[in-house]
Amino acid sequence: MKTYLVTGGAGFIGSNFIHYMFQKYGDDIRIINLDKLTYAGNLENLKSVEDRENYAFVKADICDWEAVNRIFQENDIDRVVHFAAESHVDRSIKDPEVFVKTNVLGTLVMLNGAKAAWELPDGTFKEGKKFLHVSTDEVYGSLDEDGGYFYETTPYAPHSPYSASKASSDMLVKSYMDTYKFPANITNCSNNYGPYQFPEKLIPLIINNALQGKKLPVYGDGKNVRDWLYVEDHAKGIDMVMEKGRLFETYNIGGHNEKQNIEIIHIILNTLREMLPEGDGRRKLVKDSLITYVEDRKGHDRRYAIAPDKIKKEVGWLPDTRFEDGIRRTIQWFFENEEWMKNVTSGNYQKYYEEMYQI
Ligand code: NAD
Ligand code: TYD
C-alpha cells in the first residue's frame, strides 16, 4: 500500500484530489494530509473522508522543519503531492511576504524532508519514491491575444508576486532534480474551477455574488483570457503524472478551453437562470446589470493558454469534462452547499471583500 503525503489538502484542489484518490483507489492507498488551515484551508471539504482508517490529518505549517521532518520520519512516505501554497494573485499584490515564505521556503522544507527520508548512503534515492510539485501556468507570464501557447520549454517570465513565488519554487524543485537526481515531477496547470473553490477566485465569486444580487466586479475591459480546467481533470492529471510521468520532467496540464472573463460571467449568469427553478426567489436577482467594470488588477496578465501536447503524448491524459458540463456541476454543487458558502464568507472574508472591492 502506497502512502501519500498531500500538502494543502484542505484547500480547493487538494481536497478535490483527496476525494478523487479515495474514489479511485479506495482502501489501497493511505493519505496523510498536512495543512496549516489558513483562511483557504477548510476541513469541511473533507468531512466525508475524515473517518477513513487510511486517512490522517496533521495541522502544521510546511515551513516548520520539525513538524515536516517528523511526518517523514514516522511514516514511510512513498509519494508527496505538494499543493500547499498561498494561491491568490490579488492577495500577493497586497502582501507578497507570506507568498515567499510559504511558496518558496515551505517548498524548500518539503524538499529537504523528502530528501532526508529517501536518500540512500550512496546518494541515490530509494526505489519508487516521487515528489510531485503542483504549479501553475502563470510562471510563464502572459501571452498575446492573438496567438501562441505555453509549452514546457517556454521561458519563465512571472509578473505577479504569486507567480514569481511559484516560479521560484519550481526552480528549487528543478535544482534538486538536477543536483541530487531527486525523484520529482513538476506539473504546471491552467486555471481550475469546481466544488470547494474559495470565493475570492473569479468563478465562485461571480456565482456567490449573482445569487445574492450583488455587483459582479470585472477587472479592466473584461477581455483577459484564462484557460479553464475542471478540477477533477487536474486531479486525474496529477495522478497520471505520478504513475506514468518520466522522472525529472515537467508536464503542462490544460484542456484548450480559453475564455475571456466577461464570457465566463455571461455563461454563469445564463446557466444560473436556466438552473434555478421557477419560483426560486434568487431568479430575479440574477441580472446582467450586476456586471460592474472596476479598476484593473495591477500587472494583469492578458492571456494564459496551455499546450498540453506532452502530457497527452507521454502520459495519455485528456480532460473528461467539457466546460458546459463542468460549470453546471459546479453551480449545482454551490446550490447544494449553501451552508459551506455561508461559512467561508462569514468573518474575515467580509473584511477582505470590503478592502478589495469598493463597490
Ligand atoms: P487554495 O488556496 O485553495 O489552498 C491552499 C491550501 O494550502 C489551503 O488548504 C491552505 O490552508 C494550505 N496552506 C497555505 N499555506 C500553508 C502552509 N504554510 N503550510 C501548510 N499548508 C498551507 O489553493 P488551490 O487553488 O487549491 O491551489 C493548490 C495548488 O495548486 C497551489 O500550489 C497553486 O499554486 C496550484 N495551482 C492552482 C491553480 C488554480 O486555478 N487554483 C491552478 C494551477 C496551479
Ligand atoms: P482569478 O480567479 O483570481 O485567477 P488568476 O488571477 O490566478 O488567473 O482571476 C481570473 C481572471 O478573472 C483574472 O483575469 C482576473 C479576473 N477577475 C475579475 O475580473 N474580477 C474578480 O473579482 C476576480 C477575482 C478576478
Side-chain angles (χ1 to χ4, degrees):
M1 184 193 280
K2 290 203 168 57
T3 299
Y4 286 71
L5 175 58
V6 174
T7 70
F12 163 50
I13 308 176
S15 58
N16 277 285
F17 176 77
I18 291 175
H19 288 298
Y20 176 86
M21 293 298 279
F22 281 135
Q23 265 156 31
K24 178 158 179 199
Y25 297 102
D27 293 336
D28 295 338
I29 55 167
R30 197 173 145 235
I31 296 182
I32 301 170
N33 172 14
L34 158 61
D35 197 300
K36 183 183 176 182
L37 299 182
T38 67
Y39 78 93
N42 185 352
L43 288 181
E44 274 190 55
N45 300 0
L46 294 160
K47 270 250 160 300
S48 64
V49 305
E50 68 186 12
D51 293 333
R52 294 186 75 104
E53 294 205 343
N54 55 341
Y55 170 77
F57 173 68
V58 180
K59 183 174 184 314
D61 189 329
I62 54 165
C63 300
D64 177 352
W65 166 251
E66 303 284 313
V68 168
N69 192 41
R70 193 173 325 119
I71 296 174
F72 278 104
Q73 295 309 319
E74 289 177 357
N75 301 276
D76 183 12
I77 304 290
D78 298 296
R79 269 102 195 260
V80 175
V81 187
H82 179 38
F83 292 100
E86 287 293 333
S87 69
H88 192 42
V89 173
D90 292 322
R91 290 186 191 252
S92 82
I93 294 168
K94 280 191 187 302
D95 179 16
E97 198 171 323
V98 65
F99 283 72
V100 175
K101 280 193 182 136
T102 290
N103 299 3
V104 186
L105 296 178
T107 298
L108 183 70
V109 170
M110 289 307 302
L111 288 167
N112 284 340
K115 182 170 177 288
W118 294 346
E119 199 169 24
L120 295 166
D122 66 358
T124 62
F125 288 87
K126 292 180 186 165
E127 274 297 302
K129 306 291 185 188
K130 199 188 254 194
F131 187 106
L132 193 144
H133 177 62
V134 179
S135 192
T136 164
D137 59 357
E138 304 191 21
V139 297
Y140 298 120
S142 182
L143 293 164
D144 289 338
E145 265 158 10
D146 51 357
Y149 292 100
F150 295 138
Y151 291 89
E152 288 79 0
T153 48
T154 303
Y156 275 31
H159 295 131
S160 72
Y162 163 67
S163 55
S165 69
K166 291 297 290 187
S168 310
S169 66
D170 292 11
M171 291 299 175
L172 273 174
V173 179
K174 284 180 205 274
S175 78
Y176 271 55
M177 296 194 286
D178 292 347
T179 306
Y180 309 111
K181 296 281 168 284
F182 178 78
N185 283 125
I186 298 172
T187 53
N188 294 89
C189 189
S190 61
N191 285 62
N192 285 215
Y193 68 99
Y196 305 112
Q197 189 167 28
F198 193 79
E200 64 190 350
K201 304 285 185 348
L202 181 71
I203 288 183
L205 187 143
I206 296 297
I207 297 172
N208 184 41
N209 281 18
L211 286 171
Q212 296 174 70
K214 281 169 70 176
K215 289 183 178 167
L216 310 176
V218 185
Y219 298 165
D221 64 1
K223 292 186 179 159
N224 297 64
V225 171
R226 297 294 183 262
D227 186 356
W228 295 95
L229 184 72
Y230 192 61
V231 62
E232 215 173 272
D233 281 325
H234 186 185
K236 183 177 85 165
I238 289 170
D239 177 40
M240 289 180 79
V241 169
M242 194 58 111
E243 294 306 312
K244 299 184 190 158
R246 284 183 298 135
L247 279 183
F248 319 125
E249 292 293 319
T250 288
Y251 294 91
N252 283 352
I253 310 182
H256 279 304
N257 183 50
E258 290 178 54
K259 299 222 181 307
Q260 292 183 341
N261 296 333
I262 192 68
E263 280 182 75
I264 291 285
I265 293 172
H266 282 295
I267 293 171
I268 293 173
L269 290 171
N270 291 336
T271 314
L272 283 172
R273 283 188 283 254
E274 256 171 61
M275 289 178 69
L276 282 166
E278 287 290 340
D280 188 311
R282 292 172 298 181
R283 261 183 93 120
K284 59 176 184 310
L285 299 176
V286 180
K287 291 200 217 94
D288 289 8
S289 58
L290 297 174
I291 293 173
T292 307
Y293 287 86
V294 299
E295 194 186 327
D296 206 356
R297 175 186 277 173
K298 288 191 174 70
H300 197 175
D301 286 338
R302 192 62 175 167
R303 173 172 165 256
Y304 302 143
I306 284 275
D309 309 17
K310 181 174 171 184
I311 191 172
K312 282 185 186 164
K313 185 158 166 258
E314 286 191 12
V315 175
W317 175 87
L318 280 172
D320 292 322
T321 309
R322 294 178 317 151
F323 189 74
E324 306 83 270
D325 301 325
I327 200 72
R328 291 181 79 87
R329 277 165 76 180
T330 304
I331 288 173
Q332 187 61 37
W333 187 87
F334 280 109
F335 283 167
E336 286 163 12
N337 291 276
E338 270 186 272
E339 216 36 51
W340 181 94
M341 186 60 97
K342 271 196 198 126
N343 291 343
V344 303
T345 51
S346 61
N348 284 339
Y349 179 81
Q350 293 301 338
K351 194 166 160 271
Y352 166 79
Y353 195 89
E354 278 154 28
E355 278 173 20
M356 183 69 210
Y357 302 97
Q358 281 87 36
I359 56 171

